[in-house]
Amino acid sequence: MSDLPTLELSVSGMTCANCAGRVERALKKLPAVEQASVNLASHRAQVTLRSAAPAALLIAAIERAGYQASLGQNPDDQCRAAGHERLAVVLALLLALPLLAPMLLQPMGVHWMLPAWLQCLLAGAVQFGIGARFYRAAWRALRTLDGNMDLLVVLGTSAGYGLSVYLWLSSPAAPMHLYFESSSTVIALVLLGKWLEGRARRQAGQALRALENLQSDTALRQVGERLETVAVQALRPDDVLLVKPGARFACDGIVLEGRSHADEALISGEPLPVAKQPGDRVTGGAINGEGQLRVRVTALGPQSTLARIIRLVESAQGAKAPIQLLVDRVSRVFVPLVLVIALLTLLGWLLGGAPVQTAIIHAVAVLVIACPCALGLATPAAVLAGTGAAARHGILIKDSTTLQRAEAVDCVVFDKTGTLTLGRPRLLHQAASNGDEQTLLRLAAALQQGSEHPLALALLERCGDLPALHDSRALAGRGIAGTVEGQPLQLGNRRLLEDLHLSADAISLAWEAEGCTVSWLVAMQPQAHVLGVLAFADEARPQARAAVALLQADGVVCHLLTGDNLGSARQIATAVAIHQVHAQVLPAGKAQVIETLRRTQVVAMVGDGINDAPALAAADLGLAMASGTDVAMQAAGITLMRSDPRLVAAALDICRRTQAKIRQNLFWAFIYNLLGIPLAAAGWLSPVLAGTAMALSSVSVVLNALWLTRWRPGFSSRGQP
């Protein structure tokens, strides 16, 4: 499924959960569509295709269902639409206010009312002019034999307006109370609620728009001694760019020349500038500091870090949380159920001897308060706000299912190298069997040519020119093999030594006991024999101990899982206060350890390397460091954009808070309807109060979700928690 092509469409005209469901069903009827998910909060549809299909085909299906769609929405169009919506709200409120004024003034002893003809005129302008959008949407719902919020609004307000016209025309000379203020005020309040929802959605989506705005349009490319300004689309890998102080990096790259600092706050959430020097990676969208840099392009377009972040955030905000599926099923039967309740209310009051106008008004109140807007917004609004807040602080959540899994995590398993440690081990000791340590280093480094492994980098930085390497191959979980200067060699760990039926000498055992990672260089001819031993040591990240403390304070059990030797693992575990240690575990064995822990706990795995991918996939929740490999990030549900293990606790925290907001929102959405409908049916709520309650329910749900945008990690990035 994940390999199938996907399209994202912007959908307009949706007003409630039933609308989103209708768009989904229209898309799923197309033979080319494998899956469709429509997000009411972001007004976006994610479509997975089982076969190639033009976007026009999908857009046509949505338009047949009565909505508008496009591949992307221009920000100017969004601003223009928001402006039109705001103008409609202001006009509706201004026209409804004179109708509502007598009701507001009556408790103060002021008895005043507009002439009936003027009430009819003002209410008609709101009902059929500003409110025409509700009639269009209701007609689309009726054509497909489906119900939505607009149908309820139209039925309720039209009944109130029609009743008022009937009463006025049947007794034009007799003074009486008309209900024009109810129909016009309800429409004005519904429009106000929708405008506030839209404003809140735009606010919740600011994180994604801020990321999109980081993308540069042009770059300064160096060709020989000449500089030229080119469009980013014209760049190619290995191009050399000149990045001036204060300019944005146009794409991902590696610094060739110069020293500076980069502001990566919007990308990684790191508030402090990050030092950059030759050999360091830079990320497109970050801002160069005080120095001029020459940068070699390494990734462009969809392969860039920024594009990957945007895709992850969009995917998380567009995906449907598992609990939303239940809400969708409830919403689908909700409108028909409300229509039945409204009809029963009307008949009940009539059979009870109430006047026709009283029965109609109570039925109208039921229709108005029952709009399921809040129900449809409860989950997507919280997901939109939560994932956006997480992204601003360097935590990328892949989908809404991840939010649900993260909430239950009670065990976190850390990889060691590059996750809890700096991942930059140093060569501390070396011993050659023949005493020639320079040759030992030269042969071992030659075997590691081209490798990105931290131990290889530590070895290569100690050596200059190296002999050629032939027939190089990896030995899974053991080391590397190859031929150097005609001699077959292998370099690896204790497992390699045992496979070759060789034993470790006293000095290597002593280095292991000190917590060093030990590698043996073995010559394979005339028979396998040890040429020498190398000892490396890595140090724990400064934030690692605080990260473990944060998790343990939340009742989460921490484990250390590594392929390294037991001495090295215990040294780091002691430094960061982890008591559960699993050492000398092969990549496949890591997944087995995770599976064993999952029998009794909900397990999260934190890693950064290719060898961590099986364990990340096997865990209930995988968290990958963005400083690691793409394979690790693809296997993980959450990507941490900074190499700060404290973000693990922060990621679990924002997931729990988002899930809590979803539950709160659903509670309030159901309470409004469960309490409001009986009160309206019993005659204790007028249509105006019902309309106010309905608008407030939607607004309260969105505002409750927006509290998540204020979230901050529970630690200072400058120090300890």
Side-chain angles (χ1 to χ4, degrees), residues 260-300:
S260 185
H261 287 78
D263 179 358
E264 300 178 344
L266 278 173
I267 299 168
S268 67
E270 173 57 66
L272 301 177
V274 180
K276 298 295 178 184
Q277 60 186 3
D280 287 343
R281 295 183 179 275
V282 294
T283 305
I287 300 174
N288 186 24
E290 72 284 357
Q292 183 168 278
L293 299 175
R294 286 177 67 246
V295 174
R296 177 172 62 82
V297 175
T298 58
L300 291 158

Side-chain angles (χ1 to χ4, degrees), residues 621-635:
L621 174 68
L623 297 97
M625 299 282 191
S627 57
T629 63
D630 287 345
V631 175
M633 284 184 275
Q634 288 166 8

Side-chain angles (χ1 to χ4, degrees), residues 536-551:
F536 303 84
D538 197 358
E539 58 181 311
R541 291 187 182 276
Q543 315 93 338
R545 190 178 184 91
V548 173
L550 283 168
L551 290 166

Side-chain angles (χ1 to χ4, degrees), residues 12 38 61 117 121 125 147 174 311 318 332 425 429 518 549 641 662 665 669:
S12 57
V38 178
W117 67 268
L121 188 64
R311 282 199 303 274
R332 191 171 182 183
H429 311 291
V518 178
M641 295 307 296
I662 289 174
N665 282 352

Side-chain angles (χ1 to χ4, degrees), residues 221-228 242 294:
R221 182 167 62 186
Q222 184 172 358
V223 182
E225 298 299 320
R226 180 170 54 86
L227 293 175
E228 58 182 14
L242 188 70
R294 286 177 67 246

